[in-house]
Amino acid sequence: GVKGVECCIDGRRAMKNFSVSKWGFETARQRAISWRIEKARSKGTLRQSFAKAEHQSGVKGVNWCTFRKAWVAVARRGGKRTQKYFFAATHGFHEALELAKQFRQEIDYSKLVESSAAHAQAESASPSSASSSSS
């Protein structure tokens, strides 16, 4: 479990503990993250890599667009790039992420269905399948 958080700020070690037994895991974790961000902001040393971790979707083809402040789902369909933006201002940050993930899954599913249908159609049209079905 999370016992505490330790970090370097301006070359100094800063440490504070957030008790899991007192706060519960998720609350302790959130308090630790908030404390770390606030410490870094107050010193002006919030590293870009630390800030970017929140903007990782964990799903291929779902990315954060900093310029538009939106999650974007991107895929190729029929050789063409398909993309759709889900704006944090409209849906909220986390809901926009979930919508982008869902949209990406729908694209992947429809590509799978299209591929299966094309494969089935090709099999039914081939002469070898026609002769084997009449036997």
Side-chain angles (χ1 to χ4, degrees), residues 38-57:
E38 188 52 44
K39 276 289 199 188
R41 277 195 184 126
S42 69
K43 297 284 186 181
T45 57
L46 181 61
R47 290 194 327 257
Q48 189 66 19
S49 61
F50 188 80
K52 283 176 90 174
E54 184 182 25
H55 296 110
Q56 302 295 316
S57 73

Side-chain angles (χ1 to χ4, degrees), residues 1-20:
V2 175
K3 292 182 181 177
V5 64
E6 185 176 323
C7 59
C8 275
I9 299 173
D10 290 339
R12 292 184 165 149
R13 193 167 106 175
M15 187 171 162
K16 184 170 181 177
N17 287 316
F18 296 88
S19 172
V20 172

Side-chain angles (χ1 to χ4, degrees), residues 69 86-92 96:
K69 296 188 179 1
F86 298 89
F87 296 93
T90 305
H91 304 288

Side-chain angles (χ1 to χ4, degrees), residues 99-112:
L99 289 168
K101 287 179 179 181
Q102 182 180 1
F103 182 76
R104 176 59 203 234
Q105 286 175 340
E106 289 170 4
I107 290 172
D108 289 344
Y109 180 75
S110 68
K111 286 189 335 190
L112 179 66

Side-chain angles (χ1 to χ4, degrees), residues 71-82:
W71 288 100
V72 59
V74 181
R76 292 210 168 269
R77 184 187 273 171
K80 293 185 179 181
R81 180 183 162 119
T82 300

